[in-house]
Amino acid sequence: MKKLRLIARIDVKNEYAIKGIQLEGLRKVGDPNKLASKYYQSGIDEIIFMDAVAAYYDRNSLSDIIDRATKDIFVPITVGGGIRTIEDIRTALKAGADKVAINTQAIKRLEFVEEASKVFGSQCVVASITAKRVGDGTYLAYYDNGREETDRDVVGWAKTLQEGGAGEIMLTSIDMEGTRKGFDIDLVRMIKEAVSIPVIAGGGAGKNGHLSELVGQTGVDAVAVASMLHYDLASVGELKSHLGNRGFITR
Amino acid sequence: MTVSVGVVDYGIGNVKSIIGALDKVGAQVILTDNPEQLLQSDAMILPGVGAFGHAMQQLKERNLDQVIREFTDSKRQFLGICVGMQLLFTTGEEFGEHAGLGIIPGTVSKISLKSESTAPLPHISWNELYAGDNQNWAGSILEGLGSGENVYFVHSYVGTPDCSQDILAVTEYDGLHLCAAVQHENITGCQFHPEKSGETGLKIIDNFIKKSR
């Protein structure tokens, strides 16, 4: 049977794990490798490392962190931020990533998603969508880690990314991100209904109930959590047993 | 005795984790596309992700298909992982029909969800392992695992051996029974990623090394 996946998202800037609120006001929260090891030891299903400033500076600096992580972490690792070329993906995979998350470059050139999935397989390509609510229930896709706006409605954009060969959608609500006020359930439901590839939802978890509410109302395939774990609001085990008690089975 | 494991390096996907896992269980890893070095190792692992045809082409360009056949003929332990398992079969149907290594008779085809299904593809999930019909995991790479233990899958295509006796383990997805592991004499393949399956996965790798002594 299909299992819900619980994913730890670790944003990185200059070797430090950081966390912002609505992708801004970044604060250091620790050593990315130490955090990842701790989450692995306590049973996390996957790890996502995101270079928070890579899109801005045109580079991804996570290779060393991924390289270290592969020595003691044996769950899937996704790397994102600044992935622009086939060569960037090759470098990330060589360092030990299993998947890459692509946002900015997909917005600039959709063919990149197609090329990447042809060369490395769809399973390797996570299309990252950062969405902001613009009133009357619609959302637009943003890029450069939430700094730049587009005129693309996220529902159509998610379908386009799926057709382009993405293997998963990682959906982040800019409005809720880092606020600990709960997920944007409307947003997640819309995207989940629009595509047939797995959807990872992130942005806004602040208490255990937020996760079960999200999964119960949207049937989302995976939940990405950052603040709750970084700030010790809950452990991986507590989140999993909370979800399991409500019938949402993780591994 | 330290077991040397030749990991076939043919430019496909992430091999870092499999190396990390082999290090962790005390094996000596040789990541190479050099036929001689591969043929000298005690055991061989064929990793792989991505499309079947592309992976097969990469093997052939390096003449590694012949090396793998020679190695498996020698009765030493061989493990194919994910696409590395799929390549063992006769035919793959991803992006057109492609010939595989043909070491285990069978076909790799797209997971055929029921028409009314809303389950996502690819099948990206931790999922449970159960023994295939008339199978016992004793002496296999799954020895010591409990029925229903979780391992990590990521695939849209699945290999099905012609002979059901070759099915070592299955998993269930949206009501379908998918072949999760095959075993044919000295040759084992797993559709899931043991190197991504936490402590359960490390135990599977450790079993493989023990079998190779």
Side-chain angles (χ1 to χ4, degrees):
Chain A
M1 65 184 280
K2 197 186 86 164
K3 306 267 162 115
L4 175 70
R5 288 175 285 147
L6 183 65
I7 301 176
R9 173 173 166 156
I10 303 175
D11 288 5
V12 179
K13 181 185 176 186
N14 306 332
E15 311 276 297
Y16 292 99
I18 51 98
K19 189 74 198 91
I21 296 174
Q22 298 178 328
L23 299 174
E24 291 184 323
L26 308 177
R27 279 180 53 188
K28 289 180 190 174
V29 291
D31 175 294
N33 286 102
K34 282 188 185 150
L35 290 174
S37 293
K38 177 175 141 189
Y39 304 150
Y40 170 73
Q41 292 299 336
S42 51
I44 201 76
D45 295 326
E46 285 186 48
I47 309 263
I48 296 174
F49 288 109
M50 291 290 281
D51 189 327
V53 293
Y56 199 60
Y57 291 121
D58 251 8
R59 55 117 182 80
N60 183 293
S61 60
L62 295 181
S63 287
D64 292 347
I65 291 169
I66 307 291
D67 182 62
R68 284 193 291 273
T70 56
K71 292 182 173 58
D72 61 357
I73 291 173
F74 299 100
V75 292
I77 297 173
T78 302
V79 58
I83 303 286
R84 291 189 143 63
T85 63
I86 294 295
E87 213 37 52
D88 288 343
I89 301 180
R90 215 181 290 281
T91 304
L93 299 187
K94 229 177 184 158
D98 300 286
K99 320 181 209 182
V100 290
I102 302 170
N103 179 4
T104 300
Q105 192 64 6
I107 296 226
K108 292 186 174 163
R109 212 170 68 80
L110 177 64
E111 300 79 30
F112 180 55
V113 173
E114 292 167 16
E115 289 159 16
S117 61
K118 280 245 167 67
V119 176
F120 302 102
S122 289
Q123 85 296 326
C124 181
V125 179
V126 180
S128 165
I129 299 178
T130 44
K132 203 173 166 83
R133 189 190 277 265
V134 288
D136 68 343
T138 59
Y139 295 81
L140 295 180
Y142 275 59
Y143 65 103
D144 271 1
N145 208 38
R147 291 181 192 87
E148 301 292 334
E149 185 188 51
T150 71
D151 57 3
R152 285 174 219 200
D153 182 274
V154 291
V155 173
W157 180 229
K159 288 181 183 165
T160 304
L161 288 165
Q162 168 172 294
E163 282 156 21
E168 287 178 274
I169 301 273
M170 178 168 85
L171 179 63
T172 307
S173 158
I174 297 175
D175 305 293
M176 302 313 289
E177 203 277 335
T179 64
R180 305 185 202 175
K181 290 178 179 163
F183 296 90
D184 189 330
I185 286 175
D186 292 339
L187 169 68
V188 178
R189 189 191 290 117
M190 262 184 225
I191 300 300
K192 180 67 192 149
E193 283 171 2
V195 298
S196 60
I197 52 177
V199 176
I200 303 163
K207 56 182 188 186
N208 299 359
H210 288 152
L211 279 79
S212 48
E213 183 190 14
L214 169 77
V215 180
Q217 294 199 30
T218 66
V220 77
D221 304 282
V223 186
V225 181
S227 295
M228 284 193 77
L229 295 175
H230 299 340
Y231 295 118
D232 277 324
L233 305 180
S235 69
V236 173
E238 284 161 4
L239 290 174
K240 285 192 160 189
S241 64
H242 169 86
L243 288 162
N245 289 340
R246 281 150 190 83
F248 307 123
I249 309 297
T250 55
R251 70 153 155 145
Chain B
M1 172 196 127
T2 307
V3 174
S4 65
V5 182
V7 177
V8 184
D9 184 9
Y10 62 121
I12 298 286
N14 161 25
V15 289
K16 233 13 200 309
S17 309
I18 190 72
I19 294 169
L22 287 165
D23 276 344
K24 200 92 180 172
V25 302
Q28 183 204 343
V29 188
I30 305 146
L31 174 69
T32 183
D33 61 356
N34 179 297
E36 276 168 34
Q37 282 183 292
L38 287 170
L39 287 168
Q40 278 165 11
S41 48
D42 300 321
M44 187 187 281
I45 291 182
L46 179 63
V49 296
F52 186 99
H54 179 71
M56 194 62 205
Q57 186 195 337
Q58 296 298 312
L59 278 184
K60 279 188 172 163
E61 277 175 12
R62 294 164 172 81
N63 279 326
L64 293 169
D65 51 333
Q66 293 306 327
V67 172
I68 290 166
R69 285 194 193 94
E70 193 177 331
F71 189 89
T72 51
D73 281 347
S74 75
K75 301 299 166 199
R76 281 170 285 174
Q77 291 297 320
F78 178 93
L79 176 64
I81 298 173
C82 195
V83 172
M85 166 214 190
Q86 296 182 355
L87 291 173
L88 291 168
F89 292 109
T90 325
T91 317
E93 296 174 349
E94 189 169 4
F95 298 123
E97 199 168 297
H98 303 273
L101 290 163
I103 293 172
I104 297 178
T107 309
V108 180
S109 48
K110 189 153 196 178
I111 298 173
S112 53
L113 296 175
K114 295 168 195 129
S115 53
E116 72 276 14
S117 173
T118 55
L121 268 189
H123 170 218
I124 302 181
S125 181
W126 291 77
N127 211 334
E128 295 160 3
L129 287 180
Y130 296 98
D133 291 343
N134 309 316
Q135 284 288 352
N136 178 332
W137 289 345
S140 81
I141 61 165
L142 304 181
E143 178 163 332
L145 264 67
S147 187
E149 271 196 51
N150 283 287
V151 290
Y152 181 76
F153 289 86
V154 45
H155 61 131
S156 298
Y157 286 75
V158 63
T160 308
D162 293 345
C163 174
S164 66
Q165 285 301 312
D166 290 338
I167 300 177
L168 178 66
V170 295
T171 193
E172 185 264 315
Y173 185 60
D174 198 44
L176 301 171
H177 285 94
L178 307 177
C179 174
V182 285
Q183 182 177 280
H184 185 86
E185 299 174 359
N186 56 315
I187 302 152
T188 311
C190 42
Q191 178 61 64
F192 57 89
H193 287 269
E195 78 282 16
K196 291 288 160 188
S197 296
E199 300 302 309
T200 301
L202 289 177
K203 183 168 174 54
I204 293 170
I205 302 276
D206 190 41
N207 281 341
F208 175 70
I209 297 307
K210 288 197 176 117
K211 270 168 73 81
S212 307
R213 284 207 179 111

